[in-house]
Amino acid sequence: MNPARNNRFDDFFAEEAYVSLKNLFYNYLLRRRAVARSLRDHPGKWILDVGSGLSPMVSDSVRADRVVHCELSLAALRRLKQQKGRGFFVAADAVRLPFRNASFAQIVCSEVLEHIPEDRRAIREMAVALESGGSLILTFPHRRAWYGPDDRFVDHLRRYDLADMVGHLEHEGLEPVEIRKVLGPLEKGTMVAVVSLLFLLRRVRGKKERGETCIPGKINRFLFKWCNRLYCLPAWIDARIFPRRLAAVLLIRAVKPCHQIDISA
C-alpha cells in the first residue's frame, strides 16, 4: 500500500474501542471462513498472508511456525505480533515483497489490492513468490459500478469486475480454478448505511478536527460480538441467494501451473 494515502480506518488503530472490535465484524468473520475453505493442507509448506494488518486471514489452527504475516504498517504488525505471539512477521510493501522466488505454497491476500495504486505489480510479486503448483487466494470488492462513498471512506482506489481480476491473474501466469461468492448486495447496503451513520455522528457531535474518529467510546463488546455473529447468517444467505454478478465481495483461488519438463530429450 502507499503510505502517503490516508486510509481513514487507519485512524482507528490507536483507538482501543476500534482495535478491540475490529475482528468481530461479520464481514471479517465471513471472509476468514471463506479463505479457510480454500486453503489446502500442505504439511511443511509455507503460507504468506499479505496485508494482514490487525486481521490475519490464516486461521490459528494452521501451524504458526509456517505462516508469515506481511504488512506495511509497523504499528499494526507489532500489535499483531503481541496478540498472536507465534509465527513470523515481516514489514514490507506488497509491491516489493522481500522473499525468494517460489518461497510459498499458498499466499492469501484479502481486501488489499483495491488499496494499492500498482495493484498489478503486487499480483506479479505474489506470483513470483509462489511455488509451482501453489495457490494464490484473493478476496476483493466486486462490481466497479458499485464504487461509492463507503469505498472512498476506506480509501478504496477501485472495485473490480470479475473479468478484470481474472485477466490480471492470467496475465501474471496464474490460472483461476475456484471462484466463490463471499458477500452479497446486503454487504454493500450495510456498509453504505454504516458510513452514513458515522458521518451523521460526526456532524452531531461537532467533531470537525481532521482525522478525529467518531466511534462511541463505550460499546458493549459482548453485545457487539453476538450481533455480528448473528448478522453473519443473513449475510451468508444473501450471498448464496443472489447471482454472482451481484456479489459485493468475491474470492478467487488461482494456481501457478507446474512447469512442464521435457524428458524425451
Side-chain angles (χ1 to χ4, degrees):
M1 289 181 221
N2 186 347
R5 299 188 65 89
N6 177 34
N7 180 339
R8 295 173 71 177
F9 274 161
D10 283 345
D11 297 335
F12 300 160
F13 284 159
E15 295 245 355
E16 290 301 323
Y18 176 68
V19 171
S20 66
L21 299 176
K22 186 175 189 295
N23 292 350
L24 302 179
F25 286 126
Y26 73 93
N27 46 18
Y28 168 68
L29 298 175
L30 289 174
R31 282 191 293 116
R32 201 171 193 222
R33 186 183 305 172
V35 167
R37 290 180 60 191
S38 294
L39 282 170
R40 298 297 183 261
D41 185 19
H42 296 299
K45 297 285 189 175
W46 288 89
I47 299 175
L48 175 64
D49 189 353
V50 175
S52 55
L54 296 176
S55 306
M57 281 289 115
V58 180
S59 171
D60 293 334
S61 62
V62 177
R63 289 187 59 184
D65 59 352
R66 289 290 173 176
V67 179
V68 177
H69 302 280
C70 179
E71 166 60 40
L72 182 60
S73 168
L74 276 172
L77 203 63
R78 288 194 188 103
R79 186 139 198 166
L80 180 63
K81 186 175 182 179
Q82 290 173 354
Q83 292 172 352
K84 296 186 72 66
R86 302 174 59 210
F88 293 86
F89 305 86
V90 177
D93 195 326
V95 300
R96 298 177 182 86
L97 293 178
F99 306 109
R100 293 180 179 178
N101 295 0
S103 295
F104 299 96
Q106 297 179 96
I107 298 177
V108 177
C109 182
S110 180
E111 310 299 286
V112 173
L113 291 176
E114 61 273 15
H115 296 278
I116 302 177
E118 299 175 279
D119 56 336
R120 292 184 64 174
R121 181 175 173 182
I123 295 174
R124 184 178 308 119
E125 286 285 295
M126 291 186 285
V128 170
L130 200 63
E131 67 180 31
S132 295
S135 297
L136 170 61
I137 300 170
L138 294 173
T139 77
F140 57 93
H142 182 231
R143 291 184 62 87
R144 284 189 293 174
W146 280 1
Y147 187 89
D150 55 319
D151 295 291
R152 288 188 288 272
F153 184 79
V154 295
D155 202 28
H156 285 178
L157 301 179
R158 66 190 75 81
R159 299 179 74 91
Y160 297 90
D161 286 338
L162 177 58
D164 296 331
M165 185 60 76
V166 169
H168 295 339
L169 293 168
E170 291 179 341
H171 186 268
E172 303 305 331
L174 300 173
E175 178 184 351
V177 296
E178 176 187 351
I179 300 172
R180 178 178 296 159
K181 296 179 291 182
V182 180
L183 291 160
L186 179 62
E187 158 71 2
K188 180 64 179 179
T190 300
M191 293 311 299
V192 169
V194 166
V195 168
S196 299
L197 178 60
L198 289 175
F199 278 125
L200 178 61
L201 287 172
R202 191 172 187 178
R203 287 199 299 269
V204 168
R205 296 182 180 195
K207 293 188 174 182
K208 299 179 181 179
E209 292 83 357
R210 185 176 182 181
E212 188 172 2
T213 62
C214 52
I215 293 180
K218 293 183 179 180
I219 299 178
N220 188 308
R221 192 174 189 276
F222 178 84
L223 181 61
F224 185 87
K225 172 182 177 180
W226 284 102
C227 283
N228 273 272
R229 287 197 175 186
L230 290 173
Y231 202 60
C232 282
L233 180 59
W236 181 85
I237 293 174
D238 176 69
R240 304 286 80 73
I241 291 176
F242 283 93
R244 190 167 69 189
R245 60 187 175 83
L246 295 180
V249 175
L250 288 177
L251 177 148
I252 294 182
R253 184 171 69 88
V255 172
K256 186 174 183 177
C258 297
H259 298 298
Q260 299 295 323
I261 301 175
D262 185 4
I263 61 174
S264 62

